[in-house]
Amino acid sequence: MADRLIAEHMPTYPSESVALESACGTILREQVFAERDQPPFDRVTMDGIAIRSSALAAGRRSFHVIGIQGAGVAALPLGDDTNCVEIMTGALLPDDADTVVPVERIERNGDDVTLETGYEPNPGQFVHRRGTDLKAGQPLLEPGKLIGAPEIAALTIAGSATVTVARWPKIAAVSTGDELIDVGGPIELFQIRSSNDRAIVAAFEKRGCTTATRARLPDDPDALRSAISDMHDRDDILVLSGGVSMGKYDYVPQIMDELGMRVIFHKILQQPGLPMWFGVSAQGKPVFALPGNPVSSLVCLIRFVLPAIRTALGATLPEQQTVRLAETVHYEPNLTCFMPVQLGVNADGDLRATPKPTNTSGDFVSLARTDGFVELSRGRDDFDAGEPVSFYQW
Ligand code: AMP
Ligand code: MG
């Protein structure tokens, strides 16, 4: 429900052309075609000698080495059936050869080689034939792919020095609260290090986004109003934390209203993160206001904000994966439960998620020992060991 409401209000973000060096972690926005056949030539896959199989068929077992040929050079012609070329993995197979005999299967005497006694090569062996993986012009990658190592390799093969990808929107990660102090300076007993803005930016950076910036604001209506208004003008998405609950100083929903932001929802039946607020500005920019508790703010970011942006960027694969619970979980409140988990391998070698309940939504310390969280749907109290559940990585 919340996912759908957010998705309905997410804008589409433009594409940009980036150098291949900067493409990792972005979402591909073009179809990519093979520049050449793959492999581009008949490629030798073993170090050995290249021969003609018709010579084998005629009973020949000894050959004269007419030269040596490595990868990256034009082919040496064999010429005669009695000849062979000493050849290396990755080399272009000579036109008039069709079979490779590995170096382990020959005996060499000067420029003459003899096949190992009893060894019968299969005609055509150890040659990766041109175009057998893909033909030039065939599609290699589809739009929507998250670009990682194999995609970078595929783009390189395609000859794409520049790539059309989704441009990350500019994101403001804003912590609100009079108690918040940045890392580094002195701190009073009643103050708190502001970890949310840093954690939020880190979650974006981990996903390849370099356009998230941090800010800290006090619980002061005038300061909030003017700073949020400025950031809204400058950035594409606002992600606030703190000030959305029912406290006297929780001004965020009211300020949003004053700034003409339309509330789409306020509160979700979930634990942690119940007070989450989502709205859109008159210009259609999404605004997420997450509860200030560090566990709540990070869970809400990863469960709702990141998947929504990912989909808006055109990604075809979702943010979450499926894992199986290592233990039974009993959870009574009629709320969706986001349970931090540690991933590990059980005695059978299977990946399992062990629940690591936090002390409170403020218990950020225990999160550092977990890998992410699982979603346990509302309306049930018991979840079985081995049951598959949605998993979100921090
Ligand atoms: P709030 O949602 O503003 O009521 O904040 C709830 C709790 O989260 C309070 O204990 C805050 O001190 C704490 N908190 C809020 N923002 C941050 C932040 N940026 N970093 C660490 N803790 C925070
Ligand atoms: Mg607060």
Side-chain angles (χ1 to χ4, degrees), residues 175-176 179-180 192-197 242-243 245 250 291-294:
S175 285
T176 70
E179 73 280 32
L180 303 177
I192 295 283
R193 294 279 183 213
S194 182
S195 58
N196 289 356
D197 44 314
S245 306
D250 289 334
N293 269 311

Side-chain angles (χ1 to χ4, degrees), residues 22-367:
S22 313
C24 188
T26 60
I27 305 292
L28 187 64
R29 278 277 179 88
E30 60 176 325
Q31 198 173 26
V32 176
F33 300 95
E35 181 190 37
R36 306 198 288 164
D37 288 345
Q38 271 319 312
F41 51 84
D42 293 337
R43 190 178 67 90
V44 169
T45 63
M46 280 283 194
D47 299 323
I49 55 167
I51 58 170
R52 192 139 69 224
S53 59
S54 55
L56 297 171
R60 171 162 290 281
R61 304 208 42 99
S62 294
F63 299 88
H64 179 68
V65 180
I66 53 135
I68 178 164
Q69 191 199 321
V73 296
L76 288 175
L78 219 58
D80 199 283
D81 250 15
T82 60
N83 291 338
C84 71
V85 170
E86 189 179 0
I87 204 142
M88 305 302 144
T89 301
L92 163 59
L93 185 75
D95 263 353
D96 49 2
D98 59 12
T99 300
V100 172
V101 178
V103 65
E104 297 84 350
R105 299 297 199 173
I106 56 174
E107 268 163 43
R108 184 155 185 164
N109 187 2
D111 277 345
D112 293 310
V113 292
T114 305
L115 304 192
E116 183 188 286
T117 310
Y119 179 66
E120 293 299 338
N122 292 317
Q125 71 178 18
F126 300 123
V127 179
H128 189 185
R129 286 283 170 191
R130 172 177 181 160
T132 49
D133 293 352
L134 206 65
K135 298 266 184 255
Q138 282 186 331
L140 194 56
L141 291 174
E142 298 298 325
K145 264 251 147 183
L146 174 65
I147 299 178
E151 290 75 23
I152 292 286
L155 286 158
T156 306
I157 287 169
S160 306
T162 57
V163 197
T164 306
V165 300
R167 183 162 76 210
W168 276 98
K170 280 188 278 175
I171 294 149
V174 191
S175 285
T176 70
D178 283 339
E179 73 280 32
L180 303 177
I181 298 286
D182 199 9
V183 70
I187 191 159
E188 300 283 358
L189 177 68
F190 46 83
Q191 294 178 320
I192 295 283
R193 294 279 183 213
S194 182
S195 58
N196 289 356
D197 44 314
R198 288 186 183 272
I200 289 170
V201 168
F204 277 108
E205 284 177 347
K206 187 183 167 195
R207 285 152 182 88
C209 166
T210 54
T211 51
T213 50
R214 293 186 301 112
R216 238 172 336 106
L217 299 175
D219 290 317
D220 172 68
D222 293 334
L224 285 168
R225 203 179 298 109
S226 94
I228 292 172
S229 168
D230 288 350
M231 284 186 280
H232 170 265
D233 291 344
R234 186 192 67 189
D235 294 317
D236 303 306
I237 299 177
L238 303 184
V239 183
L240 285 81
S241 78
V244 283
S245 306
M246 302 303 282
K248 265 264 166 63
Y249 305 118
D250 289 334
Y251 296 118
V252 169
Q254 169 203 329
I255 299 293
M256 293 306 178
D257 186 48
E258 289 170 21
L259 289 172
M261 316 265 187
R262 186 157 59 93
V263 54
I264 305 300
F265 64 76
H266 187 190
K267 297 193 173 77
I268 306 181
L269 292 174
Q270 62 186 21
Q271 159 71 45
L274 189 133
M276 179 176 168
W277 185 102
F278 171 68
V280 275
S281 72
Q283 288 90 329
K285 295 184 182 181
V287 180
F288 300 88
L290 315 178
N293 269 311
V295 179
S296 314
S297 89
L298 202 54
V299 162
C300 288
L301 178 88
I302 289 174
R303 175 59 186 79
F304 296 105
V305 184
L306 295 178
I309 297 175
R310 202 175 148 120
T311 305
L313 293 178
T316 40
L317 273 188
E319 179 84 18
Q320 89 263 28
Q321 299 155 274
T322 300
V323 296
R324 290 178 186 275
L325 291 172
E327 298 165 7
T328 301
V329 181
H330 182 74
Y331 180 80
E332 267 173 27
N334 190 22
L335 300 169
T336 294
C337 168
F338 298 119
M339 173 70 75
V341 293
Q342 195 173 51
L343 296 185
V345 174
N346 68 9
D348 297 329
D350 298 324
L351 187 71
R352 289 288 183 272
T354 304
K356 298 281 173 192
T358 53
N359 224 345
T360 65
S361 322
D363 177 13
F364 205 41
V365 178
S366 55
L367 283 200

